[in-house]
Amino acid sequence: MPVRTWFPTEIYCEPLQAAGLAKFNAELIDECRNLRDYDAAGRKWSAKNYPGGYTSYASMNELHRFSSTFAGLEKKLLRHARDYARTLEFDLRGCTIRMTDCWVNIMPPTAAHSLHLHPLAFISGTYYVATPPGCSGLKFEDPRLDRFMAAPPRRTDCKPSHRAHVTYPAEAGNVILFESWLRHEVAANRVDDERISISFNFNWS
Ligand SMILES: [Fe+2]
């Protein structure tokens, strides 16, 4: 075929580490739930902006600076972010990649997270801490969607890379990284248990 593919959208998905995930996640689950109990401002903000769920996004969003458990997570995630940045072939010689934000999301049944992107960062991502079977995944949208205008719909049997959306299942222990401009959402949690994740942003200077 005389056709080549350009301008790829690359998404990274890997286990955080090879072993010891269950113990590390058990620690994180406790810490996330304790944070919710402690963070009255976050609960208040979530009641208005994250119905049914809890997020520390607006109240405690630099957790890696205040908790040794989260600082440990930052260190592990930084390795993945560096690998991902290398794959994306960014020229970061002489620059430092830093985690700027890190916050907790707890989604009980019915909680959802509508379509959004992460401004003021270049790599963003999520680490999955507790993912009850059947909980919602992370759904990404084709970033060119608003420019297709007169394009016909794709065939239903088209290859995955031609689809307008892709959903990565939420799996405890996995890290998903994406470029911060890529819009994504989490559909309402339909299972009878809490889905817990930690989201974060990286910047460079
Ligand atoms: Fe997000």
Side-chain angles (χ1 to χ4, degrees), residues 29-100:
I29 288 173
D30 282 349
E31 197 145 333
C32 292
R33 290 194 169 128
N34 288 342
L35 186 74
R36 175 175 56 186
D37 293 344
Y38 166 81
D39 179 19
R43 289 200 309 273
K44 194 174 167 194
W45 191 89
S46 301
K48 211 170 173 186
N49 300 284
Y50 201 59
Y54 163 75
T55 176
S56 71
Y57 175 72
S59 50
M60 301 188 77
N61 55 8
E62 293 185 0
L63 292 169
H64 54 305
R65 299 195 210 284
F66 300 106
S67 144
S68 56
T69 317
F70 282 87
L73 178 65
E74 174 194 17
K75 219 170 146 192
K76 295 168 199 277
L77 289 171
L78 188 56
R79 281 202 299 270
H80 291 276
R82 285 198 184 116
D83 284 351
Y84 180 47
R86 211 170 296 127
T87 306
L88 295 169
E89 297 188 287
F90 288 130
D91 185 357
L92 290 165
R93 284 173 295 180
C95 299
T96 309
I97 299 179
R98 273 177 298 104
M99 182 180 273
T100 50

Side-chain angles (χ1 to χ4, degrees), residues 1-184:
M1 280 286 283
V3 173
R4 295 172 68 184
T5 300
W6 300 101
F7 317 120
T9 302
E10 291 162 295
I11 298 173
Y12 177 104
C13 181
E14 264 284 286
L16 181 70
Q17 57 194 32
L21 279 171
K23 186 171 176 282
F24 187 57
N25 281 347
E27 232 173 279
L28 280 171
I29 288 173
D30 282 349
E31 197 145 333
C32 292
R33 290 194 169 128
N34 288 342
L35 186 74
R36 175 175 56 186
D37 293 344
Y38 166 81
D39 179 19
R43 289 200 309 273
K44 194 174 167 194
W45 191 89
S46 301
K48 211 170 173 186
N49 300 284
Y50 201 59
Y54 163 75
T55 176
S56 71
Y57 175 72
S59 50
M60 301 188 77
N61 55 8
E62 293 185 0
L63 292 169
H64 54 305
R65 299 195 210 284
F66 300 106
S67 144
S68 56
T69 317
F70 282 87
L73 178 65
E74 174 194 17
K75 219 170 146 192
K76 295 168 199 277
L77 289 171
L78 188 56
R79 281 202 299 270
H80 291 276
R82 285 198 184 116
D83 284 351
Y84 180 47
R86 211 170 296 127
T87 306
L88 295 169
E89 297 188 287
F90 288 130
D91 185 357
L92 290 165
R93 284 173 295 180
C95 299
T96 309
I97 299 179
R98 273 177 298 104
M99 182 180 273
T100 50
D101 316 281
C102 178
W103 66 95
V104 163
N105 313 290
I106 302 182
M107 299 176 79
T110 76
H113 199 163
S114 59
L115 209 53
H116 66 282
L117 46 76
H118 294 210
L120 306 177
F122 83 121
I123 290 176
S124 296
T126 299
Y127 175 65
Y128 293 99
V129 181
T131 52
C135 73
S136 311
L138 182 56
K139 184 177 178 182
F140 295 97
E141 177 194 80
D142 186 335
R144 307 160 303 169
L145 214 52
D146 59 347
R147 303 195 195 175
F148 284 155
M149 294 175 281
R154 302 275 187 196
R155 285 166 39 168
T156 52
D157 62 346
C158 73
K159 55 188 173 186
S161 62
H162 270 167
R163 292 184 188 140
H165 297 94
V166 59
T167 301
Y168 275 65
E171 278 178 37
N174 272 1
V175 181
I176 296 183
L177 301 176
F178 49 90
E179 292 192 70
S180 306
W181 45 259
L182 185 61
R183 294 212 300 175
H184 53 282

